[in-house]
Amino acid sequence: MSPRVTFPNKVLPYLLLAPQLAITLVFFYWPASQALYQSMLREDPFGLSTKFVWFQNFAKVLRDPNYLNSLNVTLIFAVATAVISMGVALVLAVMADRVVRGRGVYRTLLIWPYAVAPAIAGMLWLFMFNPTMGSFAYILRATGYNWDPLLNGNQAMVLLVSAAAWKQISYNFLFFVAGLQAIPKSLIEAAAIDGAGPTKRFWTIVFPLLAPTTFFLLVINTVYAFFDTFGIVHAVTGGGPGKATETLVYKVYSDGFVNLILGDSAAQSVILMVIVIALTAVQFRYVERRVHYG
């Protein structure tokens, strides 16, 4: 039995924890408590008086058709972004793992896009597919396809998902490469000796052993799609056309900072936080059951 490790100074552990606890308190718990308090207030149009209305803001938000539309848009956007970014990253990681010469250069080039800020990534895709001056938009029009994401909601969603997924592919790629490197090569060689082809080896050996990495990235990509894509939405579509790409996090900004409906905006932020916590809990409760940590 190994001896128990103890600190000779009883105050030292608390001093070491104090900076992290202070940061968590100031930058998470305090803003969250303020959002919860603000969500129960209602101000007059001129901001001269404030009334405590309990949960009336939440009831108003949940009855709002525009908010329900934003919820539907967010779910579609989150699922599409996570599936595409993780799928493409897995394919690129498998290809990079097979490269022998120039492997480091290949991996570095695939990681670079993650350093691009979300708003910049959105502007890059907007310029490439802008219906008036975008090079790819010109190619699409030359083939006879009527491309105009400024007027077509479905095309705007495709453009938004493409930009958000492209931004996240590098992050997913990095973890998939690390997961592939951790898989013992002896298992793959044994399967090859037994006659299993590359496709069968991947689905029966490699992919199951990547389950912990895939589950981790599923949680991260869900949170990313719900919260960290505000800059992309703001730069690419601004929630349009006709609220076709207005996600929950962008509606919080639109109602709170643009329309100055502070009570409703705060209630939406609390609901968004609850939705993400609930989705993460469901993922850990049900999806993690199928994950085996070797």
Side-chain angles (χ1 to χ4, degrees):
M1 184 176 179
S2 59
R4 183 180 180 183
V5 179
T6 58
F7 282 96
N9 190 334
K10 293 184 178 181
V11 182
L12 181 60
Y14 299 100
L15 292 178
L16 295 175
L17 287 174
Q20 182 62 42
L21 292 176
I23 292 174
T24 304
L25 179 64
V26 172
F27 292 101
F28 180 75
Y29 288 108
W30 175 251
S33 64
Q34 288 297 303
L36 183 60
Y37 174 72
Q38 187 74 37
S39 67
M40 297 183 182
L41 301 179
R42 182 175 298 169
E43 296 183 0
D44 66 3
F46 302 99
L48 300 177
S49 63
T50 302
K51 181 180 179 182
F52 195 79
V53 295
W54 290 98
F55 299 102
Q56 293 182 20
N57 289 331
F58 292 92
K60 178 183 176 183
V61 166
L62 293 176
R63 290 195 303 264
D64 185 5
N66 291 327
Y67 183 79
L68 299 179
N69 172 72
S70 297
L71 178 60
N72 183 52
V73 168
T74 304
L75 292 177
I76 296 173
F77 171 72
V79 171
T81 301
V83 170
I84 293 174
S85 62
M86 292 177 64
V88 174
L90 180 58
V91 172
L92 294 176
V94 172
M95 293 171 61
D97 194 55
R98 295 178 180 176
V99 173
V100 177
R101 181 175 298 179
R103 177 183 298 182
V105 176
Y106 181 55
R107 291 176 178 172
T108 303
L109 292 176
L110 288 174
I111 293 171
W112 273 0
Y114 187 65
V116 180
I120 302 302
M123 291 303 298
L124 288 174
W125 281 80
L126 180 60
F127 279 130
M128 289 190 298
F129 289 92
N130 188 282
T132 57
M133 60 181 179
S135 55
F136 286 95
Y138 176 79
I139 295 174
L140 289 173
R141 287 199 306 272
T143 60
Y145 185 77
N146 185 21
W147 171 261
D148 192 355
L150 300 179
L151 297 177
N152 190 303
N154 293 330
Q155 294 178 0
M157 177 59 74
V158 170
L159 179 59
L160 190 63
V161 169
S162 301
W166 177 83
K167 175 69 175 65
Q168 192 69 0
I169 285 173
S170 299
Y171 182 88
N172 298 335
F173 168 80
L174 193 64
F175 280 91
F176 276 131
V177 167
L180 289 171
Q181 290 178 340
I183 297 176
K185 302 300 180 183
S186 58
L187 295 177
I188 301 176
E189 293 172 355
I193 294 174
D194 290 339
T199 303
K200 189 173 184 180
R201 291 199 301 268
F202 175 79
W203 289 113
T204 59
I205 297 177
V206 176
F207 190 70
L209 292 176
L210 283 176
T213 303
T214 305
F215 172 71
F216 166 77
L217 290 177
L218 178 63
V219 175
I220 294 298
N221 280 263
T222 301
V223 177
Y224 163 77
F226 271 83
F227 284 107
D228 296 339
T229 53
F230 168 80
I232 297 177
V233 177
H234 189 60
V236 177
T237 64
K243 300 186 181 297
T245 58
E246 187 179 56
T247 60
L248 291 176
V249 67
Y250 193 80
K251 185 167 178 56
V252 171
Y253 160 79
S254 178
D255 287 354
F257 290 89
V258 177
N259 300 321
L260 297 179
I261 312 175
L262 300 181
D264 290 5
S265 177
Q268 292 173 27
S269 67
V270 174
I271 295 173
L272 178 59
M273 180 177 63
V274 171
I275 289 174
V276 173
I277 292 175
L279 285 175
T280 305
V282 168
Q283 288 173 340
F284 275 93
R285 180 69 175 84
Y286 296 102
V287 179
E288 195 181 23
R289 287 183 176 181
R290 301 179 180 271
V291 177
H292 300 282
Y293 297 90

